[in-house]
Amino acid sequence: MHGTEVIIPTFSSFVTDLLEEKAEQYNQPAFIPMDPISIPHSFSVKQDIEIMGFWAAVLAWGQRKTIINKCHELSALMDGAPYDFVLNHTESDLKPFLHFKHRTFNSTDTLYFLHFFQQYYRQHESLEFAFSSHMQEGEETIENALIGFHNLFRDSEDFPTRTAKHIATPLRKSSCKRLNMFLRWMVRKDDKGVDFGIWNTIKPSQLVCPCDVHVDRVARLLGLIKRPLTDWQTAKELTASLKQLSPEDPVKYDFALFGLGIEGFAK
C-alpha cells in the first residue's frame, strides 16, 4: 500500500454508551430555555427563525444568560418581527441600533448585519441558499458552504473591515464554532424538538461539530481528538470520529459533549 495510511481510532463501549446516553439526556426541550437556541424558538416564521438563530449563534460567546438577554434586546429593537423589519426598515429606523453592543460586536457590525439581511432577503426566500449554493453534490462536509457564505457576506461596497472577524471561515483555519452551531440548528432533523431541521439541501451527515471549549476538553479526554491545536482541521477530526458512531447524524453528539463539559466531566 502506497502513501500514508490513515489510522482510524476505535472507541470503547464505555465511550459509545456514554455519548449515546448524554445525547439523549440533553437533546430534550428542557435544554432550550437556558441556551441561545431559545432565541429562535421564540418565533414560528421560518425567516424569523433564521435571522434570530443566526444572530444568536454569532453572539454566542460569554455567559449564556447575557447572550440571551442581548438577543432579546436585538429582537425588541426590531419590534419583535425580525423578517418584517429586515425587509422594510428605513434609515431612520436604524438609530436605536447605534447603541447596541455585545463584547466586541458593536453598532458598526450590527448595522452591516441589517444591511446584509435586507439585501439578501429581498432576493432570496431563505438564508439556506446563502450556504448551500456553494456546495457541490456529494461533498463530505459543509466546508465550501462556510467559505462561500463568508465571501458572500462581505461582498458589498459598504462592508466594514472590522466586521469580518465575526464571520469565521475555514480559510482562516477557524474551527467556525458559531456557524457550525447555527447550521446544526437549521439542518438537523429529529423528533426531540430542539434543533429545527427547516433546511433540506444540506444533509445532517455533512455538518461539522461545533468545537467550543467544553466540547474540545471532553472530546480530548475521550480520545475523539488527537490534534494539539483547536482549528478547522480539529473540528473535522472530531466529526470524523463521531461519524464512526453515527454516520448519518454525527453532530447529535454535540449535545453529549457540551453537556458533559457543563457537568464538569473533564475537569
Side-chain angles (χ1 to χ4, degrees):
M1 180 177 179
H2 299 285
T4 302
E5 183 178 358
V6 177
I7 300 175
I8 301 176
T10 56
F11 304 111
S12 67
S13 59
F14 167 77
V15 171
T16 303
D17 293 345
L18 179 66
L19 291 176
E20 291 289 349
E21 175 190 340
K22 291 298 180 178
E24 184 72 19
Q25 177 182 338
Y26 285 100
N27 187 11
Q28 298 289 343
F31 171 83
I32 295 172
M34 295 304 295
D35 190 82
I37 201 174
S38 64
I39 297 300
H41 270 287
S42 301
F43 299 90
S44 57
V45 174
K46 179 179 182 179
Q47 292 84 355
D48 287 338
I49 293 170
E50 291 177 346
I51 292 167
M52 291 311 299
F54 185 80
W55 230 321
V58 168
L59 296 183
W61 79 98
Q63 292 186 341
R64 286 190 288 170
K65 182 177 180 181
T66 303
I67 296 163
I68 292 168
N69 288 340
K70 280 294 176 179
C71 290
H72 282 309
E73 181 182 337
L74 267 176
S75 177
L77 289 172
M78 292 184 282
D79 302 318
Y83 182 50
D84 181 68
F85 184 89
V86 159
L87 285 180
N88 301 309
H89 71 261
T90 62
E91 189 170 346
S92 63
D93 295 325
L94 299 175
K95 291 180 181 178
F97 293 89
L98 294 174
H99 304 288
F100 183 81
K101 183 178 181 357
H102 173 61
R103 298 176 77 98
T104 65
F105 192 96
N106 69 11
S107 58
T108 298
D109 308 315
T110 307
L111 293 175
Y112 184 76
F113 270 55
L114 289 168
H115 168 77
F116 170 78
F117 283 141
Q118 185 173 76
Q119 296 303 308
Y120 180 83
Y121 277 108
R122 284 180 173 178
Q123 300 177 60
H124 305 284
E125 181 182 349
S126 169
L127 197 57
E128 179 176 12
F129 183 77
F131 291 90
S132 64
S133 62
H134 307 290
M135 296 180 64
Q136 302 295 321
E137 187 172 352
E139 289 188 9
E140 185 176 350
T141 74
I142 52 172
E143 182 167 343
N144 285 329
L146 296 177
I147 293 170
F149 177 80
H150 174 267
N151 294 336
L152 173 68
F153 184 81
R154 59 185 300 161
D155 185 22
S156 170
E157 294 180 358
D158 300 315
F159 181 74
T161 303
R162 62 155 283 118
T163 304
K165 64 184 177 183
H166 297 300
I167 301 297
T169 171
L171 293 182
R172 291 203 299 262
K173 299 184 179 181
S174 170
S175 68
C176 300
K177 177 196 78 173
R178 297 178 185 89
L179 289 179
N180 284 332
M181 181 172 68
F182 171 68
L183 292 178
R184 192 205 88 194
W185 294 351
M186 297 298 106
V187 172
R188 276 200 73 250
K189 303 176 190 297
D190 59 25
D191 59 357
K192 305 297 185 180
V194 182
D195 291 331
F196 292 90
I198 55 176
W199 290 1
N200 297 306
T201 53
I202 300 173
K203 299 176 182 177
S205 62
Q206 294 172 307
L207 294 173
V208 173
C209 191
C211 204
D212 74 354
V213 63
H214 297 292
V215 169
D216 184 270
R217 188 184 300 127
V218 174
R220 291 183 187 281
L221 186 65
L222 296 177
L224 301 171
I225 301 173
K226 302 296 184 185
R227 187 176 172 82
L229 301 175
T230 301
D231 57 13
W232 179 248
Q233 292 302 321
T234 307
K236 291 206 299 183
E237 179 188 0
L238 171 58
T239 305
S241 293
L242 298 176
K243 278 188 174 181
Q244 294 180 62
L245 308 180
S246 179
E248 300 305 315
D249 189 18
V251 178
K252 74 176 182 179
Y253 298 113
D254 182 32
F255 288 101
L257 295 169
F258 181 78
L260 285 164
I262 292 295
E263 291 177 11
F265 177 79
K267 290 184 179 179

